[in-house]
Amino acid sequence: MNMKKKKVFRFSLISIMFLITLWVLKDFNLSWVEVNSDYAKVTVNFLFPMNKDKLPECISLSHQLPYASKFDYSIEWLTNSVVCIKIKEQNFIKGQKAQLIIKDAPGESSFISRNASVTIQFNSDVALLDPISDLLVATEKPFIVKFNTPMNKSKLHKFLQCDASFYIEPLAVLNSSGKEIEDTSTFKFTPKVPLQNDQKYILSFRKGMPAQSGALLKQDLSVILITDTKPIIELTYPANNDKWIGLYPRLKIETDSATVAGYLTIGQETIKGKNLDPYHIEFLPSKVLDSNTVYHASFQVEAASGELSVPKEIQFTTVRIDADRIWIEVLAYANSKAKVNVYKGNKVIKSMICSIGTQAPGISFGTHYTKDKGDAFVDSKNREGANFWIKINDTCMFQGLIRDEYWHIKRKFENQLGRQIERSNIILKDEDARWLYDNIPSDTMVIVYQ
């Protein structure tokens, strides 16, 4: 009985030792890497006969740059336990550091599986991808320099020559896990002190500059930097010290040269403007301004290079709202019922639901003043019309409910009061449109905002 127990114990111990050995050997293999300018060749000796057909399913490649992920590979078995994997970079960025991962590759015996992880440093000659011609830059903002291969970032500044000095840092990108990593093929150059406008600077990278792979720049490379002229704001609306400005004005500027963006600082808020064309930008405040108040505004524009103008400072005074003054606000809500409020001084004396037309050009946000009015109009193109209209600009007016050619109310539009509709006007119930027609004089201020 004791002998039988000893045999069972010995057999169990041997089995456990065998399994432990297999587990230890699972990640043990022999591998070596050869790299040339065209491809990398990875040879792996698994030490056990392998299932050749299943290996491709077990191979993956972890690469350095998320946007440079194209690799081709081929598999050649040298023996039933030794495999040669040729890997070629198919990206415009070459010379990455990568990891060849083989996970749970099955052996010929069903109880054997093998793992391998091999680091590969691809190789590439060093070249400049961008810029490849003269580069227009701003005097204070950063610009980008891109190489065809990851560089040795700690050595870059030692091989740089220029009349100006720069802070140099690799660009940050997100990897497949959403983690921020450095892209050492792309660098941001920020002037340490402002450059001079309308000047040329030669940025030279000297021969011998090393890449991450150890490859060296074979000859000097130079980039000509041309600093942009500073754009000038020539005109503003309002002009400095203007008075009687509407409570929700479209502020505008005109520049002497093409711009891509404009900014208005008014109070504690900075607003990005809308480019009407390269030379004209308009701004809308985020809220209605206070009446009879002096506002200080600062405009600044940006050229395509990133060059900023000198800020243009103005002040203006909004219109005074007397206690007996009639004026109108149109609340063009996107997600709730649009509304027209009529004020006398600062008190609402009439509130009406309306529909806002969405067809261009139609209504526009800002301050308008009522113009002509009439008791009815006919739209022959759409074979419809409406009662009691008041123009607020050349493309939009208040009007009553839409009627067909027989002057019957189109119930579809009546049921849509309060919503946006495919017309260009501000549509009210007939009794509300009649009230406006009877009570609103010409040149009444109308503020439209969302």
Side-chain angles (χ1 to χ4, degrees):
M1 188 69 179
N2 287 337
M3 286 297 295
K4 187 175 180 180
K5 286 183 178 180
K6 286 182 180 180
K7 287 181 180 180
V8 170
F9 175 76
R10 188 178 299 137
F11 176 78
S12 299
L13 183 61
I14 292 172
S15 298
I16 291 170
M17 294 298 294
F18 179 71
L19 291 172
I20 291 173
T21 301
L22 286 179
W23 183 80
V24 171
L25 289 175
K26 181 177 182 179
D27 293 325
F28 181 78
N29 53 70
L30 302 175
S31 62
W32 55 97
V33 180
E34 301 173 51
V35 178
N36 59 40
S37 58
D38 293 326
Y39 60 87
K41 184 168 70 172
V42 179
T43 305
V44 181
N45 185 344
F46 291 107
L47 305 178
F48 290 93
M50 302 298 294
N51 184 329
K52 298 178 182 180
D53 294 335
K54 294 289 186 180
L55 183 65
E57 303 172 12
C58 306
I59 293 176
S60 63
L61 193 71
S62 172
H63 47 85
Q64 188 174 354
L65 297 174
Y67 60 84
S69 57
K70 293 182 179 178
F71 296 86
D72 284 343
Y73 70 88
S74 61
I75 297 174
E76 179 186 359
W77 286 94
L78 304 182
T79 70
N80 61 356
S81 62
V82 180
V83 66
C84 177
I85 304 172
K86 286 185 178 179
I87 308 169
K88 188 171 184 179
E89 291 181 294
Q90 297 291 333
N91 308 290
F92 62 92
I93 299 293
K94 299 185 185 299
Q96 291 190 71
K97 182 178 287 186
Q99 199 80 14
L100 175 68
I101 300 168
I102 300 173
K103 186 173 182 181
D104 296 331
E108 286 185 354
S109 300
S110 59
F111 56 84
I112 292 177
S113 65
R114 309 291 285 141
N115 294 332
S117 180
V118 183
T119 300
I120 307 163
Q121 175 61 71
F122 289 95
N123 202 356
S124 173
D125 290 338
V126 181
L128 199 60
L129 287 183
D130 189 49
I132 56 174
S133 60
D134 294 357
L135 181 64
L136 185 67
V137 299
T139 55
E140 297 184 60
K141 290 198 171 183
F143 59 89
I144 299 298
V145 174
K146 190 171 188 67
F147 296 93
N148 69 322
T149 185
M151 301 300 294
N152 185 331
K153 68 172 185 177
S154 65
K155 299 289 182 67
L156 195 64
H157 68 283
K158 296 180 180 179
F159 290 83
L160 177 67
Q161 184 175 338
C162 187
D163 290 339
S165 57
F166 301 92
Y167 298 106
I168 305 171
E169 56 182 331
L171 221 58
V173 295
L174 299 178
N175 64 14
S176 57
S177 302
K179 182 181 178 182
E180 194 173 87
I181 59 172
E182 290 183 343
D183 178 359
T184 55
S185 71
T186 306
F187 292 85
K188 182 170 68 173
F189 283 65
T190 305
K192 290 184 178 179
V193 296
L195 308 178
Q196 297 297 312
N197 286 102
D198 201 20
Q199 297 290 321
K200 286 186 178 180
Y201 294 83
I202 299 177
L203 185 69
S204 296
F205 300 97
R206 313 306 294 178
K207 177 181 177 181
M209 182 175 62
Q212 169 190 276
S213 64
L216 304 178
L217 181 63
K218 294 180 179 179
Q219 60 183 15
D220 292 353
L221 292 175
S222 294
V223 175
I224 296 178
L225 307 174
I226 301 174
T227 52
D228 205 354
T229 55
K230 193 170 284 294
I232 297 172
I233 299 172
E234 294 188 320
L235 296 173
T236 69
Y237 172 78
N240 191 31
N241 293 320
D242 271 359
K243 295 178 172 57
W244 299 98
I245 302 303
L247 302 188
Y248 194 59
R250 286 180 174 270
L251 298 94
K252 298 180 182 180
I253 56 175
E254 181 179 314
T255 60
D256 71 328
S257 55
T259 60
V260 296
Y263 307 92
L264 163 65
T265 300
I266 184 167
Q268 300 298 313
E269 181 182 27
T270 297
I271 303 162
K272 186 174 182 180
K274 177 184 177 183
N275 282 71
L276 303 177
D277 59 48
Y279 301 90
H280 298 88
I281 304 174
E282 71 174 16
F283 308 83
L284 273 174
S286 63
K287 59 184 180 181
V288 175
L289 305 181
D290 295 328
S291 64
N292 198 29
T293 301
V294 176
Y295 282 90
H296 298 270
S298 175
F299 298 96
Q300 194 168 33
V301 294
E302 182 178 351
S305 66
E307 186 69 16
L308 294 171
S309 68
V310 174
K312 181 81 169 182
E313 311 283 346
I314 68 165
Q315 67 177 33
F316 61 89
T317 306
T318 51
V319 66
R320 187 176 71 234
I321 302 295
D322 295 327
D324 60 348
R325 179 171 182 175
I326 301 293
W327 59 283
I328 302 171
E329 70 173 358
V330 180
L331 302 173
Y333 293 125
N335 300 314
S336 59
K337 286 189 176 182
K339 187 185 297 185
V340 174
N341 290 324
V342 181
Y343 284 80
K344 187 173 184 180
N346 293 317
K347 182 180 179 182
V348 176
I349 60 172
K350 182 76 171 175
S351 186
M352 300 163 270
I353 298 297
C354 69
S355 288
I356 303 294
T358 59
Q359 288 184 340
I363 194 171
S364 58
F365 298 133
T367 300
H368 309 273
Y369 291 87
T370 58
K371 302 177 183 296
D372 303 334
K373 64 180 178 179
D375 57 5
F377 77 92
V378 174
D379 178 359
S380 56
K381 178 182 177 182
N382 293 311
R383 301 175 68 180
E384 61 187 27
N387 292 323
F388 310 118
W389 57 271
I390 304 175
K391 268 194 173 184
I392 65 170
N393 61 30
D394 291 338
T395 59
C396 182
M397 59 186 176
F398 295 107
Q399 66 167 73
L401 291 169
I402 298 173
R403 296 171 178 267
D404 63 21
E405 58 190 315
Y406 303 107
W407 222 242
H408 298 142
I409 292 172
K410 289 188 173 183
R411 298 301 175 188
K412 168 186 173 182
F413 295 105
E414 183 180 26
N415 295 334
Q416 289 181 334
L417 273 174
R419 305 177 192 172
Q420 293 183 339
I421 60 171
E422 292 183 1
R423 289 295 186 275
S424 61
N425 292 332
I426 303 168
I427 299 171
L428 302 154
K429 292 179 181 179
D430 271 24
E431 55 265 36
D432 290 335
R434 175 65 182 264
W435 189 93
L436 286 183
Y437 177 81
D438 289 339
N439 292 280
I440 299 302
S442 295
D443 292 325
T444 295
M445 183 174 67
V446 179
I447 296 171
V448 184
Y449 65 99
Q450 192 169 50

